[in-house]
Amino acid sequence: MRRALIVVDVQKDFCEGGSIPVKGGAGRAVAIADLVRRADGRYAHVVATRDHHIDPGAHFSEHPDFQSSFPEHCVVGSEGGEFHPDFAPAVTSGGVHEVFYKGAYSASKSGFEGSAQDGTLLADWLRARHISKLDVVGIAMDHCVKATALDGVRAGFAVRVLLDYTAGVAADTTSTAISELRQAGVVLSGKPIVLA
């Protein structure tokens, strides 16, 4: 039973100072980088997802509802689309084995909608490496972390969300997300950061 860690969207635009910041995001970037550094023996593989927007249509809005539409963020080539500087070294040092890009031309929350640079989808990449269990961490708990975890269950993986390594946008939506994950059979560990 091989386990992988999925790090969801630890990018500048989702942390303090970004275009749609999640309070506590920068702190989670530090904690997740430390988790990746200590991953040897715990995880067979570590992967990261990354919002990577070119023209996602109605996902970008001047009047966003913050559910399906948002202010412009994580545009390809922009500073905000880069990994947070406290997490980026985990990627460049090889601690993260693959990056999956999502949302180039659509609204995309789940990492399972993403693909590696060679076009391999996340689920296929994991199955090719005989991964059956997943730990999911990242930003934001009540959006992309939730969507990734739910899609992981739908794809047949045993999924656990490490809440101590997540940041949520708001208390009510984070609480709802936790309930949805629990109902779907996701194992929950710890408590998310919610500072909004």
Side-chain angles (χ1 to χ4, degrees):
M1 301 292 279
R2 288 160 60 86
R3 184 181 296 275
L5 176 67
I6 300 177
V7 179
V8 177
D9 299 358
V10 182
Q11 293 167 263
K12 291 181 179 180
D13 270 346
F14 298 135
C15 296
E16 292 85 345
S19 64
I20 45 174
V22 179
K23 291 181 181 177
R28 296 304 83 200
V30 173
I32 292 167
D34 184 59
L35 177 64
V36 171
R37 278 192 295 273
R38 296 183 287 107
D40 283 351
R42 183 184 298 190
Y43 298 109
H45 291 284
V46 178
V47 302
T49 71
R50 184 172 172 175
D51 253 18
H52 195 69
H53 296 309
I54 296 172
D55 181 9
H59 185 55
F60 285 173
S61 174
E62 293 182 6
H63 306 285
D65 63 13
F66 292 95
Q67 290 300 316
S68 60
S69 62
F70 295 85
E72 189 172 286
H73 62 278
C74 297
V75 174
V76 172
S78 72
E79 183 72 13
E82 298 297 322
F83 286 119
H84 188 277
D86 288 320
F87 174 67
V91 179
T92 57
S93 70
V96 171
H97 303 136
E98 189 63 83
V99 177
F100 292 84
Y101 300 85
K102 58 190 179 71
Y105 297 101
S106 66
S108 180
K109 290 189 176 182
S110 170
F112 283 90
E113 298 173 294
S115 60
Q117 288 191 330
D118 68 0
T120 304
L121 295 173
L122 175 56
D124 294 336
W125 192 95
L126 294 168
R127 289 189 187 109
R129 288 153 182 81
H130 309 290
I131 299 297
S132 58
K133 295 182 178 182
L134 305 174
D135 282 356
V136 182
V137 300
I139 307 169
M141 173 60 210
D142 34 356
H143 291 282
C144 296
V145 171
K146 176 186 80 169
T148 300
L150 290 174
D151 275 357
V153 170
R154 292 183 191 110
F157 297 95
V159 181
R160 178 171 64 182
V161 173
L162 306 182
L163 296 173
D164 290 339
Y165 297 91
T166 70
V169 174
D172 58 344
T173 52
T174 298
S175 177
T176 298
I178 288 171
S179 295
E180 289 178 42
L181 291 169
R182 189 174 284 120
Q183 290 170 5
V186 174
V187 174
L188 302 169
S189 171
K191 184 177 180 180
I193 296 291
V194 181
L195 300 177

